[in-house]
Amino acid sequence: SGLTRALAARTLAPQVCSSLATGPRQYDGTFYEFRTYYLKPSKMNQFLENTKKNIHLRTAHSELVGYWSVEFGGTMNKVFHIWKYDNFAHRTEVRKALAKDKEWQEQYLIPNLALIDKQESEITYLVPWCKLEKPPKEGVYELATFQMKPGGPALWGDPFKRAVHTHVNRGYTKLVGVFHAEYGVLNRVHVLWWNESADSRAAGRHQSHEDPRVVAAVRESVNFLESQQNMLLIPTSFSPLK
């Protein structure tokens, strides 16, 4: 089968999947936790106000990369945030410390739990060919999620990388980071983009659709694509990524 051949290729030639495989990042240890909270419709503002007031209690324990409210794409009344950890032992230490932090528990956790309908967590690695970039000024973000065919980066890593770099090189949008899922739905890649506004993002997208180089790169990568979705994210006032 295709999966068997991909696994065999990975065993015989590890360098084949080096462009997107999480291996080098696993040796480094650093990973990023994607957390999504689905809030009760009438409680969104209350949740954000309480989070703004008390987020310093949480960031005292580990690094917050960004915190956004979801404007478009999928379920409404949703917040999305990214946390950085040195390794899994570090995250375990942080969670233990939070469980003992009475101020955090009483001022943030307990009041906010009643405002949340559902929580989701996903563990990701930043791909080896991409470093986390900070945008030059405030704007809006797009999280594009790609569900790739089974087989792993050995199968679709290089075409996906070319598609991303073609968009970046043509200047239609600014790349913040590319993340490969380690825990959650496998063979999933998230690309976080930045634009000055939703309108500038739309204009760049229309231009890219007419660019032969972008079209060619995308056509190659979609051969390995099962589905995709996106969200437009608005950074909160307390988000490190603005």
Side-chain angles (χ1 to χ4, degrees):
S1 69
L3 178 58
T4 301
R5 289 195 298 273
L7 290 173
R10 184 178 235 172
T11 301
L12 295 173
Q15 69 274 14
V16 171
C17 58
S18 63
S19 66
L20 195 65
T22 58
R25 296 296 174 181
Q26 288 171 316
Y27 297 141
D28 174 66
T30 302
F31 67 84
Y32 299 82
E33 182 177 9
F34 285 16
R35 294 181 75 92
T36 305
Y37 295 169
Y38 299 78
L39 306 173
K40 298 182 186 301
S42 62
K43 302 299 184 180
M44 182 79 168
N45 289 338
Q46 184 180 344
F47 176 89
L48 289 174
E49 287 172 6
N50 190 33
T51 301
K52 178 181 179 180
K53 181 180 178 182
N54 294 295
I55 193 66
H56 66 282
L57 299 174
R58 177 61 184 83
T59 55
H61 293 277
S62 63
E63 181 182 347
L64 173 64
V65 175
Y67 207 114
W68 300 266
S69 60
V70 178
E71 185 72 9
F72 302 129
T75 308
M76 300 177 69
N77 301 297
K78 184 165 62 175
V79 295
F80 171 73
H81 34 125
I82 301 176
W83 297 86
K84 180 180 178 180
Y85 295 97
D86 297 336
N87 47 47
F88 289 101
H90 177 216
R91 184 184 183 278
T92 299
E93 292 170 4
V94 169
R95 302 310 297 182
K96 287 181 178 178
L98 286 169
K100 298 176 182 177
D101 188 331
K102 299 299 183 182
E103 193 176 10
W104 164 253
Q105 296 273 336
E106 294 171 4
Q107 294 186 30
Y108 179 86
L109 186 62
I110 294 173
N112 273 355
L113 280 178
L115 313 180
I116 301 173
D117 270 337
K118 184 172 69 169
Q119 296 172 292
E120 291 180 354
S121 172
E122 183 177 7
I123 301 301
T124 71
Y125 287 97
L126 199 63
V127 300
W129 46 267
C130 172
K131 62 179 182 178
L132 198 62
E133 300 284 356
K134 189 169 184 177
K137 56 183 177 180
E138 292 186 18
V140 300
Y141 293 74
E142 177 187 3
L143 183 70
T145 299
F146 301 87
Q147 187 61 45
M148 310 304 290
K149 291 183 178 179
L155 180 67
W156 41 258
D158 287 337
F160 189 89
K161 178 182 177 181
R162 283 192 289 272
V164 170
H165 280 173
T166 303
H167 281 83
V168 173
N169 294 338
R170 300 298 293 159
Y172 294 124
T173 182
K174 181 172 178 59
L175 180 65
V176 178
V178 181
F179 305 84
H180 186 205
E182 179 72 11
Y183 285 98
V185 179
L186 299 180
N187 295 296
R188 175 174 285 182
V189 186
H190 302 280
V191 184
L192 186 62
W193 302 100
W194 173 91
N195 289 279
E196 288 189 25
S197 67
D199 287 321
S200 66
R201 181 257 178 200
R205 188 167 176 79
H206 290 316
Q207 286 181 296
S208 69
H209 287 170
E210 298 175 357
D211 187 321
R213 280 165 286 193
V214 173
V215 172
V218 170
R219 279 179 177 169
E220 181 187 17
S221 66
V222 296
N223 290 323
F224 307 100
L225 181 67
E226 288 196 337
S227 65
Q228 64 188 93
Q229 63 185 63
N230 66 348
M231 299 187 297
L232 184 73
L233 307 172
I234 307 299
T236 62
S237 61
F238 52 86
S239 175
L241 286 178
K242 300 295 186 185

